[in-house]
Amino acid sequence: MHAQWNDRESLVHPASAPDYIREEQLRALQLQRLRAITEHAYAHQELFRQRMDERGIAPADIRTLEDIQKLPFTQKTDLRDTYPYGLFAVPMSEVVRLHASSGTTGKPIVVAYTQDDIKVWEEVMVRSFACAGLHSGDIIQNAYGYGLFTGGLGAHYGVEALGATVIPISGGNSERQIMVMRDFGATAICCTPSYFLHLIEYAEGMGIDWNDLPLRAGVFGAEPWSNEMRQYIEGRTGIKAYDIYGLSEIVGPGVGMSCGTKDGLHIFEDHFMIEIVDPVTDQPMPDGEEGELVITTLSKKAMPVMRYRTHDITSIIPEKCECGRTIRRINRIARRSDDMFIIRGVNIFPSQVEAALLKVESTLPHYQIILTRTGGMDQMEVQVEVTANVFSDTVRGLEAVHKQLSDAIAHILGIRVKLTLVEPNTIERSMGKAKRVIDKRS
Ligand code: DLL
């Protein structure tokens, strides 16, 4: 019989060893890598060198991990302004792969990998899958989109490096997804949580009983999703829903991953150094306090990214994890600092609306927020799907659900907003990242 590894057993995948190393060893390794990558970026990235010179800082000034605070930040605009290849730090002959992220506005950003960078990416993906208790013998359906988006190929090569079986189905064509899931006996699926919600409905429409499928885990990420959403998915399907985090600028998926304890995401700190800063003052925040996640790639050669401002809001969990991993955790990323909008002076994040909606039964977790401006005032409408039986209920029944939802939203947001209940399948489904906010203000 083959040896198997998983989260709880003492036998772990060999690639996961750094997840368990002693803290002092980890910090020493980080410092060594931070110094090397600072030198590499200084020598080969003009923008970084210029900024260092302006500040009068040299790579040799990095003597401790705290010295990272001396380094300049990198912003998304830096990647756009140097489009396409301006931040590459190796000759093109060493670049074996490009990916790109389109974002919502303007030019895409382009990211590059050397052969070694790809190996690191595979390694952190193997470690991510191991966090979900997956191993060789598992059949993993990869429904992240293949192409320039990092989700598809990132997960794909991770599954292969794990020694499990990958089904490279990519996103979309829900009927085929369900057929393949059932007929090929998928034991895990990778996709965005919003696409999985869509698959849940689809499967149930096809008369599938989740208990009849071998599917036991979902590796969901690429967009914010709430803990309530996780509970909903797990309750509805009986699978375990894991949270995988990453971003194109850093590597793609595999920067962090939740483990069996489900409390936060472990960051693969030997390759990614994390800081939390106050998004306004740029000052470091103590562990446990919320701020913007800043990430430095410690080993990426083709395109090192120093102190990247992710705009993702989270905090470092100070406590050690029960799973035994020594690498630190951050809290689930429920929002981005640039997701926020202001209605009647109140700061609002889409994730707050999601949490409110999922507290009330008879709503489906399909919702959209529509922002409009009338007479200089911003207005917000929440459209949410409710189950078919609510719709076929009496007017009084419908009103009761409306009131319950309206109260739940008002309770969380602190203001009342327009709420519209819509029939199932009214809100457009996404194959990848869901579009929660439709901004019609400009
Ligand atoms: O979404 C990479 C990825 C692919 C991650 C597949 C996980 C799974 P980008 O398209 O560059 O890369 O988008 C990165 O998506 O800054 C977060 O705002 C958001 N995001 C990614 N994962 C999560 C998550 C990929 N688990 C941006 N929770 C990031 C919350 C997430 N937000």
Side-chain angles (χ1 to χ4, degrees), residues 76 101 109 144 149-152 191-192 219-225 243-249 252-254 256 265 310-312 332-336 433:
K76 194 175 204 118
S101 149
I109 53 136
Y144 283 121
F149 175 55
T150 53
C191 60
T192 58
V219 179
F220 302 127
E223 62 184 4
W225 56 305
D243 192 3
I244 186 162
Y245 171 71
L247 55 168
S248 325
E249 296 85 332
L265 297 99
T310 64
H311 288 278
D312 292 324
R332 166 185 290 276
I333 293 168
R335 59 199 173 93
R336 291 178 54 81
K433 298 173 191 259

Side-chain angles (χ1 to χ4, degrees), residues 406-433:
S406 210
D407 289 350
I409 296 173
H411 182 71
I412 289 196
L413 302 187
I415 52 165
R416 285 214 173 259
V417 297
K418 183 175 175 197
L419 171 72
T420 310
L421 306 186
V422 298
E423 288 183 55
N425 281 314
T426 316
I427 292 170
E428 197 186 330
R429 303 294 189 252
S430 79
M431 304 303 163
K433 298 173 191 259

Side-chain angles (χ1 to χ4, degrees), residues 48-330:
F48 182 67
R49 185 170 52 245
Q50 266 173 17
R51 289 192 177 155
M52 293 280 280
D53 291 349
E54 276 162 23
R55 293 173 164 228
I57 299 162
D61 294 326
I62 304 300
R63 296 192 190 90
T64 66
L65 283 176
E66 288 67 42
D67 286 338
I68 195 171
Q69 290 165 23
K70 297 177 179 164
L71 300 178
F73 290 115
T74 304
Q75 303 279 359
K76 194 175 204 118
T77 46
D78 296 329
L79 282 91
R80 291 224 174 92
D81 295 347
T82 53
Y83 172 88
Y85 297 163
L87 291 182
F88 291 11
V90 296
M92 208 59 199
S93 56
E94 288 177 33
V95 172
V96 298
R97 176 115 54 95
L98 299 176
H99 278 285
S101 149
S102 52
T104 44
T105 50
K107 282 184 206 160
I109 53 136
V110 182
V111 294
Y113 306 76
T114 64
Q115 199 84 63
D116 285 345
D117 296 340
I118 293 281
K119 288 215 180 76
V120 169
W121 192 10
E122 279 175 11
E123 180 201 307
V124 289
M125 283 306 298
V126 166
R127 290 160 65 181
S128 301
F129 287 128
C131 281
L134 297 170
H135 43 66
S136 62
D138 271 303
I139 301 174
I140 305 180
Q141 180 157 340
N142 184 17
Y144 283 121
Y146 280 61
L148 287 177
F149 175 55
T150 53
L153 291 186
H156 179 100
Y157 288 109
V159 175
E160 289 191 356
L162 179 73
T165 307
V166 63
I167 307 175
I169 191 163
S170 193
N173 197 341
S174 305
E175 189 164 349
R176 196 165 61 125
Q177 297 275 356
I178 304 299
M179 182 194 78
V180 163
M181 191 189 294
R182 181 188 57 203
D183 297 353
F184 293 17
T187 56
I189 184 161
C190 305
C191 60
T192 58
S194 55
Y195 187 53
F196 192 67
L197 287 178
H198 178 50
L199 289 180
I200 292 178
E201 284 176 338
Y202 222 94
E204 292 177 358
M206 286 166 71
I208 298 279
D209 179 348
W210 291 101
N211 294 321
D212 295 340
L213 300 182
L215 196 77
R216 67 168 206 281
V219 179
F220 302 127
E223 62 184 4
W225 56 305
S226 56
N227 200 35
E228 287 78 7
M229 184 79 90
R230 176 181 70 75
Q231 286 164 350
Y232 176 89
I233 290 175
E234 293 186 344
R236 194 85 183 243
T237 62
I239 70 167
K240 283 199 167 199
Y242 294 87
D243 192 3
I244 186 162
Y245 171 71
L247 55 168
S248 325
E249 296 85 332
I250 300 303
V251 75
V255 173
M257 174 80 181
S258 66
C259 65
T261 64
K262 299 283 174 53
D263 206 1
L265 297 99
H266 287 281
I267 297 291
F268 300 110
E269 288 189 279
D270 47 328
H271 295 298
F272 313 112
M273 185 157 163
I274 52 169
E275 302 166 76
I276 303 287
V277 304
D278 182 314
V280 180
T281 65
D282 295 351
Q283 289 309 302
M285 305 285 287
D287 285 3
E289 283 189 31
E290 253 194 4
E292 179 179 345
L293 180 65
V294 172
I295 311 180
T296 299
T297 58
L298 290 177
S299 37
K300 207 153 127 228
K301 285 288 159 54
M303 197 177 128
V305 179
M306 312 301 288
R307 303 194 82 200
Y308 186 65
R309 301 291 296 250
T310 64
H311 288 278
D312 292 324
I313 303 292
T314 182
S315 53
I316 291 177
I317 302 178
E319 293 82 30
K320 296 218 175 328
C321 186
E322 278 169 31
C323 78
R325 286 180 180 78
T326 47
I327 49 174
R328 287 177 303 171
R329 287 167 298 159
I330 56 168

